[in-house]
Amino acid sequence: MTSLPIQAVLNSLRVQFADHSQIILEAPTGAGKSTALPLAMLAWPEITGKILMLEPRRVAARNVAQFIAKQLGQAAGQQVGYRVRGESKVSADTRLEIVTEGILTRMIQQDPELSGIDVIIFDEIHERHLTTDLGLALALEVQQSLRDDLRIIAMSATLSGLPLDTLMPNAAQIHSDGRSFAVEIAYQPCPSQQMWLTHMSRVILDTITSIELAAYQQGSVLAFLPGKGEIRKLAGLLRELLDASWLICPMYGDLSSAEQDQAIRAAEPGKRKIVLATNVAESSLTIEGITLVIDSGYRREASFNPKTGVTRLGLKRISQASAIQRSGRAGRLAAGYCVRLWSQEEQGRMRKVDEPEITQAELTSMALDCANWGAKSFAELSLLTPPPAIHEQVAWGLLQQLELIDSQRKLTPLGRDAYALGCHPRLAHMLLKAKQLAQDDNQPQLCLLACVLAGIIEARGLPKKGADIHHYLTEALQGQIKQQVRQWQQSLAISGQINEAIRNASTRDISYLLALAYPDRIAKARGHEGFLLSNGTGVVISADDSLAHEPWLVVADFQETQGRNAGQVYLAARLDERLFTAELTSLVTTHVHAGWDEAKGRFFAEKHTKIGEIIIKVDTGITPERAHITAALLAQIRIKGLTILNRDELLIQLQYRVELARHFDPEHDWPCLSDEFLLASLEDWLGPHLDNIRSLAALAKVDAYGLVKNLLNWQQQQRLEQLVPTHWPMATGTRAPIRYQMPLDADGHFYHNHDQQGRALLSVRLQEALGMAQSPTILHGKMTVTMELLSPAQRPLAATADLASFWQGPYIDVKKEMRGRYPRHLWPDDPVNTVATKFTKKKTPGV
């Protein structure tokens, strides 16, 4: 430990510690920041309280704590301890505590002053886990408002793309060297992406047997894969290729502590090890004896879809930063070798860093954290990266639907209890409602059943028994699920036997409880196309599943996958329709739907009884009321466009003129009159004028031009006539009409650029333009009018925005041709100095 590079900056860090409450430490792989630094800080006399260190991954938190404790000659739980979800080893003597999985956030929420804690260390902050970002935001607020003596250290292997200096502008910045040996990089792309796992197994075999790579073959192999499924498949392929001297050790988050420890520790004498890991092994976690890395280049990335309210899993290429982290694992002990299963050219095209989880994740639990903290939006927190607005909006909306917050985003009493339970807000709502039912109706079995369902939904690695959640109830009688169910039973103070609750579970009870957690996922069968969820999303279920032909379901778990139009249902239950008129009546809504019947040529009204987007029942024969007809008229306009109105050229020209004024005269508050805006605001400008309209024919006679023009006040109408006139006064007394033309994009919307800003076209007979040296201008000289010069028979002869050049050039040819065709009209040799006329030569004085 004394030879690690971090030792070189410990004195500097300690000096800065005296004057700075915030420190940013950049320390590459192998520096010792996760181990040697917190170990050294335990001996600093100025730190009298506890040190908290946040690790983004449970495996790393436990491993780091055990390693540091070992350096002190102690077991974890004495001076050094850890707390991760489902496991804790701390005592009254613990001074350094490694925590993860949102535990820091809960500690701050429960005790905002963080009593007895002197330092918080955020390790591997570059990984940008959601819980890390939130924990840092809350810790900074505690420091600024309650604990100016609290010290915060943010540590990262790299500061590239990490806006820490913006969030912590007064922090001291310290850089440490890393310690790693040279790693030789080789690229071996897979010829066919469909067979990349087979290719990876062959690359591993070639790498550990090649004579040319003998220098690197003394150690073990670390292979990076995207997930548990790929790890299991590759393990099967390798066991067929290798003898018993090789240990195949999976490494992912769902494994037991014993299985994780086997992957981390050095191989026993006479054995070599191949560790098949997810990106859990990218940083913090040191796997002993690794000299060879085989990198698939993939990660399983979750991406939240706000339209469906579910997270989509996709296979994505890792970032360049991740590729560097992974290859560095081969050089921790000696010179190493890394094979990347993609091309060097593709390496250059990969994104620089991974997207922060806050931009990709579902945010409902984070919103509940915010509400419990007293924040009404994420913008009130000091976050490294703001989340997408729609993701945040969906999260707050779901909390309100679950009655955990009110309309002001203030936590309700039910919301406070839900936060205390510590599970997903959906499940917390189900558990608490079930507890209330157990107390009000003396049904403790119902609450126990809710605990069982929540345990199954939260469980990982369930055996495959189809989608029906009934088939999994007995899983709650053993292992981690049983332990979790017992914890909820204790938290809810509900007595009874779990096995009895499972034995008496009915379809009605199960579907009712699941509907409390997933009111937006009630599903109705729609023929051969699967099911429609009440949130409007389509899902499918395996054709051979026992639930495939049920008329109604409630879906607890479904996943969207790349390349599929509908999500795949993994957990659901039959829904008892009688619940719609009993326990689930609060989810049922009724409203009158009115429309226009094209076939019958009349308006109609229907009463729709619905659950979300699903129509349960339709009552016809209802006489449309005035409001229904108006709504149907507006709906028809939105369907068919403004052309269904009396949208004549006068209205179109008004729209063009106002758009030019908006572009060239922006300092005045011109309204938008585009089709898009007018359709979106029909209720405001058109709705009040439809009281006597009862047919589409009558609708076509509405004075749309007058109504739209009235969206301009009197001053704007006068200014518009000055800036963008409809006519131009000629010297002859004629008011020549001006037509405006505007460029439209592919969607029919106005757009402006330097080359295309629309044009004004003034049409007038050539003789009436005589004496004009230049083309007219409008919009205070910002736009030149294009002159469309007509023959005496009102046919176009030429169009020009540069009248002076026209007289000097093209006019000569026009004059030659027109003199013979129209000899009675004036075709002067000097048009600029000739008086304009609208008569023939005979009636023109002086000719």
Side-chain angles (χ1 to χ4, degrees), residues 29-30 179-184 290-293 325-338:
T29 298
R179 186 184 74 177
S180 60
F181 295 87
V183 176
E184 183 180 347
I290 300 298
T291 56
L292 292 166
V293 167
Q325 285 285 109
R326 291 181 176 190
S327 63
R329 292 284 146 182
R332 296 294 291 270
L333 302 175
Y337 186 79
C338 172

Side-chain angles (χ1 to χ4, degrees), residues 438 442-449 451-452 476-477 482 485-490 492-504:
N442 193 26
Q443 298 184 63
Q445 298 300 314
L446 196 62
C447 189
L448 278 177
L449 180 58
C451 294
V452 169
L477 297 175
K482 179 180 180 180
V485 171
R486 289 293 188 199
Q487 288 179 6
W488 280 326
Q489 185 181 1
Q490 292 172 6
L492 296 168
I494 296 295
S495 60
Q497 296 299 316
I498 296 174
N499 55 355
E500 186 178 344
I502 292 173
R503 188 167 55 251
N504 297 328

Side-chain angles (χ1 to χ4, degrees), residues 448-469:
L448 278 177
L449 180 58
C451 294
V452 169
L453 294 175
I456 292 167
I457 292 167
E458 278 209 334
R460 297 181 178 183
L462 287 172
K464 292 184 178 180
K465 297 182 180 181
D468 193 342
I469 202 167

Side-chain angles (χ1 to χ4, degrees), residues 25-256:
L25 173 61
E26 184 178 32
T29 298
K33 64 180 182 298
S34 306
T35 52
L37 171 60
L39 177 61
M41 292 174 69
L42 284 173
W44 294 358
E46 59 267 35
I47 301 177
T48 58
K50 183 181 287 188
I51 301 170
L52 282 184
M53 185 161 78
L54 180 74
E55 284 291 340
R57 303 179 189 280
R58 284 179 289 173
V59 180
R62 193 165 49 82
N63 184 247
V64 167
Q66 290 172 343
F67 181 84
I68 298 175
K70 187 178 180 181
Q71 308 308 306
L72 295 170
Q74 300 174 359
Q78 294 178 280
Q79 200 170 355
V80 181
Y82 65 88
R83 268 195 287 174
V84 300
R85 188 178 182 186
E87 188 178 0
S88 174
K89 283 196 176 181
V90 294
S91 66
D93 298 325
T94 302
R95 290 193 55 231
L96 170 61
E97 189 172 328
I98 320 294
V99 299
T100 187
E101 287 291 313
I103 289 190
L104 171 64
T105 301
R106 292 206 158 256
M107 291 176 72
I108 294 175
Q109 295 268 23
Q110 292 165 4
D111 177 15
E113 292 189 1
L114 290 174
S115 306
I117 295 171
D118 281 6
V119 184
I120 303 178
I121 303 173
F122 290 86
D123 195 15
E124 307 297 357
I125 203 167
H126 65 277
E127 291 192 15
R128 300 304 309 279
H129 288 246
L130 185 60
T131 49
T132 307
D133 281 14
L134 178 59
L136 178 61
L138 296 183
L140 288 172
E141 189 164 328
V142 168
Q143 186 186 60
Q144 292 161 9
S145 58
L146 299 171
R147 286 283 311 280
D148 57 2
D149 62 323
L150 182 67
R151 298 290 186 264
I152 295 175
I153 302 177
M155 305 195 302
S156 175
T158 174
L159 295 179
S160 176
L162 193 62
L164 273 174
D165 53 351
T166 302
L167 199 62
M168 304 162 64
N170 299 318
Q173 295 200 20
I174 297 174
H175 175 82
S176 169
D177 294 330
R179 186 184 74 177
S180 60
F181 295 87
V183 176
E184 183 180 347
I185 306 292
Y187 293 89
Q188 293 188 35
C190 180
S192 169
Q193 292 303 314
Q194 295 178 342
M195 303 292 291
W196 68 268
L197 270 175
T198 303
H199 173 68
M200 190 171 187
S201 67
R202 291 170 181 160
V203 169
I204 291 174
L205 182 63
D206 292 343
T207 304
I208 63 178
T209 57
S210 172
I211 297 175
E212 296 176 358
L213 300 177
Y216 305 114
Q217 293 170 354
Q218 300 307 308
S220 294
V221 180
L222 173 58
F224 284 100
L225 294 107
K228 178 172 64 176
E230 291 83 3
I231 287 175
R232 287 179 171 175
K233 289 177 184 177
L234 184 58
L237 292 172
L238 291 175
R239 288 190 180 103
E240 294 177 1
L241 297 172
L242 301 174
D243 59 33
S245 65
W246 285 94
L247 296 174
I248 310 297
C249 300
M251 184 69 192
Y252 50 85
D254 291 352
L255 291 174
S256 67

Side-chain angles (χ1 to χ4, degrees), residues 301-305 311 351 355-362 388 391:
E301 190 172 278
S303 178
F304 180 68
N305 183 350
T311 299
R351 53 188 172 180
E355 293 291 330
E357 189 181 2
I358 196 171
T359 65
Q360 307 289 317
E362 188 221 1
H391 290 200

